Amino acid sequence: MVKKRVTITDIAHEMGVTPSTVSRALAGNTRVGSNTRQRVLKVAAQMGYQPNVLASSLRSGRSDTIGMVVPRINRHFFSHVISGVEALLNPAGFNLLIIQTHEREEHERKAVHTLLRNRVAGIIISHSVETKGFSHYQMVIDEGVPLVQFDRVTEQIVGARIVNDNFLGALRSTQHLIKNGCKRIAHFAGALHVNVYQERLDGYRYALEKAGIEYDPSLVVENCIIQEAGQEAVARIVLPKKVDGIFAASDLSALGAIQKLKELNKAIPGDVKISGFANEPFAEMVEPTLTSVEQNAFEMGNQVAKAVIESIGKDEPVSEEIHIPVRLIQRRSSGSDALLMNSVV
Amino acid sequence: MVKKRVTITDIAHEMGVTPSTVSRALAGNTRVGSNTRQRVLKVAAQMGYQPNVLASSLRSGRSDTIGMVVPRINRHFFSHVISGVEALLNPAGFNLLIIQTHEREEHERKAVHTLLRNRVAGIIISHSVETKGFSHYQMVIDEGVPLVQFDRVTEQIVGARIVNDNFLGALRSTQHLIKNGCKRIAHFAGALHVNVYQERLDGYRYALEKAGIEYDPSLVVENCIIQEAGQEAVARIVLPKKVDGIFAASDLSALGAIQKLKELNKAIPGDVKISGFANEPFAEMVEPTLTSVEQNAFEMGNQVAKAVIESIGKDEPVSEEIHIPVRLIQRRSSGSDALLMNSVV
DNA sequence: CTGTTAGCGCGTTCAA
DNA sequence: TTGAACGCGCTAACAG
């Protein structure tokens, strides 16, 4: 037995006024008798009235829902960004419609359409690894929906971009290895068409250059961001090439390397020094503890939310890029012990 | 410069037919000339038409959005449940509106109202720790919105409940400690008004009972689920009471205990054997590796999604309770080494 | 098979 | 300050 939902018309009938009056009273700021407003509010409350935001949005053309597209929700980094976004968006009266792409370009395309169909007030996105074309964002631009990219971004799309300082993180990380005595440093990279991995490679190269170490492309392992890839790279590159340091673009591949090296009775940091990226929770639990670059995912989420809220209402998108500072956390895998070094941007 | 969104009326004008015809063609299953349908689809595509689901839902009374309320998105367990839910819901044509409560009862109440206002087709919820009253769900029931609870549930609300087999997990875990020689086993419990923690306590007690070990309430530490609480409990209970085994309702408090015990030069598992709950990723990284009860969060999400989809369309809610099997993962902290024991339900 | 009509619930004119 | 009327975009009933 389903009770009918109560509408402003029901309230109006109950009180002997018109729906317009009720609507105005509920809206708050429009002109209506202050005693009538009180009565409306009281009757609405006791009738259990819940405004129909669908009808409201349809009529007003405004929506309080913001869409968010992420590769995967169940990743430490992304779930924390989401959390940071929500922390600011909810108090501001917005809700989050979240869609995962599972790193598939086609899913990303569909997700954007879904959000458009839901008439979201804005779209937040971090691109999937697969995504190389961005034509499906033309419609977002055309319809004037604010678009904020974070972490994995492209300059091919106008609008705000919130990114980690990948270059600086990589630079500091590699410099740290050099300072601790590494001469032949390998880099476990990701897919280089993705900005974050390209930037980390750039930072790595720049550190070598500044230290006068020649860049050796054969020491760069592409698509090496998962655990298994890290393990595999040890046998294929690290040992044969007599590598004494690894800067991994991902904590997972760094972990894989640690496991494999321990298995082969290599000493860490004695024989090989290692640093990762992202400062996953396990970094301080693994043996030896893993030096890593900390990303402030929650803060990134906050900035993303701020950017969306600012974009809404503005006519023209602003293509500003905001860098979230990163921090090198030195641990034992690189020969340091519980020291903290703050990198300055 | 914002282009106007194209509507079915635009398409209709373009083609010289009525909006109804376009609507029917787009809907797919209703009677319409197959050649007209082709033309409509083509024109719609080339005009970049995106249906307005707000208008559609308002008119049809049906919504393809499902609301989900969780304590926190950025927790390993919850983010994986969400992922599991999405995995089934998206292919079925539903979207997820996610709201966090941050463990606050008031936020939970607001979240439910927000979802109701958004006219979601169903609501999925795991209650906040604070939540003790459930009166705000009466409106959900009254409006006939299917309600599925998971993990943290209450029987005070009708509808499907998807839960872990906390009792069995606790039972097996405690039995395992007993089998490995523990005589005085402490239990790090959570807030006992929350079903999951009460059930884990019950399983612990039942294991003791079956083994003929007297239950000692002073060995139960309430609200001991975070790292610091685990550390603190070592000094306050574990050592003074000569405890030789700890069954923790949370991996985090188990971790805290490990840290503190190591700090005090106690041997694990030599002096104290420890097992946790949830099998967080760090469980296999910490030293010694942590025995824990694995919850299949993704599978739970799948079951939740299934239950919601089934509930939608049904007139009356069914109060079925589904148990997701758990598995004891034996590791070194309890004196076992890389063994697996599957618990049978 | 297609057009006509009506209305989902709300917000915003224009009058009074 | 309030009421009447209209329409956001779409679906659904009823004709034809």
Side-chain angles (χ1 to χ4, degrees), chain A residues 7-8 23 49 59 62:
Chain A
T7 70
I8 55 170
S23 173
Y49 171 71
R59 176 62 239 242
R62 273 175 272 103

Side-chain angles (χ1 to χ4, degrees), chain A residues 21-323:
Chain A
T21 305
V22 177
S23 173
R24 277 186 288 248
L26 260 21
N29 50 356
T30 30
R31 274 106 61 176
V32 71
S34 69
N35 41 357
T36 2
R37 169 178 300 138
Q38 301 304 327
R39 282 180 55 222
V40 169
L41 261 39
K42 215 179 92 190
V43 175
Q46 73 192 22
M47 289 181 78
Y49 171 71
Q50 294 290 348
N52 186 334
V53 299
L54 271 54
S56 171
S57 296
L58 176 60
R59 176 62 239 242
S60 66
R62 273 175 272 103
S63 159
D64 58 351
T65 302
I66 286 175
M68 184 158 181
V69 183
V70 293
R72 289 209 146 84
I73 293 175
N74 58 348
R75 290 262 189 79
H76 185 256
F77 174 72
F78 287 116
S79 71
H80 281 254
V81 176
I82 294 174
S83 198
V85 169
E86 256 233 347
L88 287 201
L89 240 39
N90 268 355
F94 290 100
N95 299 116
L96 258 195
L97 198 55
I98 302 175
I99 307 186
Q100 308 186 69
T101 61
H102 294 281
E103 305 287 11
R104 300 291 313 280
E105 176 160 7
E106 194 201 330
H107 289 192
E108 181 173 327
R109 186 187 315 274
K110 273 192 192 166
V112 170
H113 288 161
T114 298
L115 295 180
L116 250 21
R117 286 203 292 269
N118 278 275
R119 299 299 186 261
V120 292
I123 294 180
I124 296 166
I125 187 155
S126 189
H127 302 287
S128 88
V129 161
E130 258 192 11
T131 304
K132 292 178 180 169
F134 300 97
S135 60
H136 48 300
Y137 290 99
Q138 192 50 51
M139 199 176 294
V140 179
I141 310 294
D142 285 348
E143 299 195 355
V145 178
L147 184 59
V148 174
Q149 304 176 76
F150 73 95
D151 193 49
R152 307 210 198 131
V153 306
T154 174
E155 297 182 17
Q156 295 180 46
I157 306 177
V158 298
R161 297 189 298 277
I162 321 290
V163 293
N164 284 306
D165 205 330
N166 293 291
F167 179 85
L168 190 63
L171 174 63
R172 292 272 184 270
S173 194
T174 310
Q175 284 180 328
H176 165 67
L177 292 173
I178 295 171
K179 193 175 135 226
N180 282 11
C182 297
K183 306 283 185 207
R184 288 182 60 77
I185 302 176
H187 175 44
F188 291 180
L192 294 179
H193 68 274
V194 178
N195 63 304
V196 297
Y197 297 118
Q198 179 63 53
E199 289 160 16
R200 289 173 201 178
L201 173 61
D202 292 345
Y204 159 80
R205 291 190 62 167
Y206 189 65
L208 296 185
E209 187 185 314
K210 280 188 70 172
I213 300 177
E214 200 188 351
Y215 170 64
D216 179 354
S218 76
L219 295 185
V220 174
V221 191
E222 252 195 270
N223 292 312
C224 186
I225 52 172
I226 65 173
Q227 207 165 335
E228 290 72 21
Q231 295 175 338
E232 191 267 343
V234 166
R236 193 162 54 81
I237 308 278
V238 176
L239 298 182
K241 299 264 179 189
K242 302 191 189 308
V243 162
D244 60 4
I246 302 173
F247 164 56
S250 136
D251 278 347
L252 276 176
S253 59
L255 173 66
I258 290 179
Q259 293 170 327
K260 194 70 179 180
L261 285 166
K262 280 166 70 175
E263 199 181 308
L264 298 172
N265 288 317
K266 299 291 171 193
I268 308 168
D271 297 324
V272 183
K273 299 184 180 25
I274 304 181
S275 77
F277 213 105
N279 194 32
E280 298 279 348
F282 68 76
E284 57 177 337
M285 317 245 179
V286 71
E287 177 54 37
T289 53
L290 176 64
T291 291
S292 192
V293 177
E294 180 192 56
Q295 308 171 308
N296 198 336
F298 192 84
E299 168 65 14
M300 172 172 276
N302 284 345
Q303 294 292 340
V304 168
K306 250 182 72 184
V308 188
I309 293 174
E310 274 173 19
S311 303
I312 296 174
K314 276 195 189 149
D315 285 3
E316 296 298 322
V318 279
S319 277
E320 142 192 65
E321 180 163 305
I322 295 177
H323 289 253

Side-chain angles (χ1 to χ4, degrees), chain B residues 71-202:
Chain B
R72 289 207 145 86
I73 293 174
N74 57 348
R75 291 263 188 79
H76 185 255
F77 174 72
F78 287 116
S79 70
H80 281 254
V81 175
I82 293 173
S83 197
V85 169
E86 258 231 347
L88 287 201
L89 240 39
N90 269 355
F94 290 100
N95 299 116
L96 258 194
L97 198 57
I98 302 176
I99 307 185
Q100 308 187 70
T101 60
H102 295 280
E103 307 286 12
R104 300 291 315 280
E105 176 160 7
E106 193 201 330
H107 289 191
E108 180 172 326
R109 187 187 314 274
K110 274 192 191 165
V112 169
H113 288 161
T114 299
L115 295 180
L116 250 22
R117 285 201 293 269
N118 277 276
R119 299 299 187 261
V120 293
I123 293 180
I124 297 167
I125 187 155
S126 189
H127 302 288
S128 88
V129 160
E130 258 192 8
T131 305
K132 293 179 179 168
F134 300 96
S135 58
H136 47 301
Y137 291 99
Q138 192 52 50
M139 200 177 295
V140 180
I141 311 293
D142 285 348
E143 298 196 355
V145 177
L147 183 59
V148 174
Q149 304 176 75
F150 74 94
D151 193 49
R152 306 207 200 133
V153 305
T154 173
E155 296 183 16
Q156 294 180 47
I157 304 177
V158 299
R161 297 189 298 275
I162 321 290
V163 292
N164 284 306
D165 205 330
N166 293 291
F167 179 85
L168 191 64
L171 176 61
R172 291 273 184 269
S173 194
T174 311
Q175 284 180 328
H176 164 68
L177 291 173
I178 294 170
K179 195 175 134 228
N180 282 12
C182 299
K183 307 283 187 206
R184 286 182 61 76
I185 303 176
H187 175 43
F188 290 180
L192 294 180
H193 69 274
V194 178
N195 62 305
V196 297
Y197 297 117
Q198 179 63 54
E199 289 160 16
R200 289 172 201 177
L201 173 61
D202 291 346

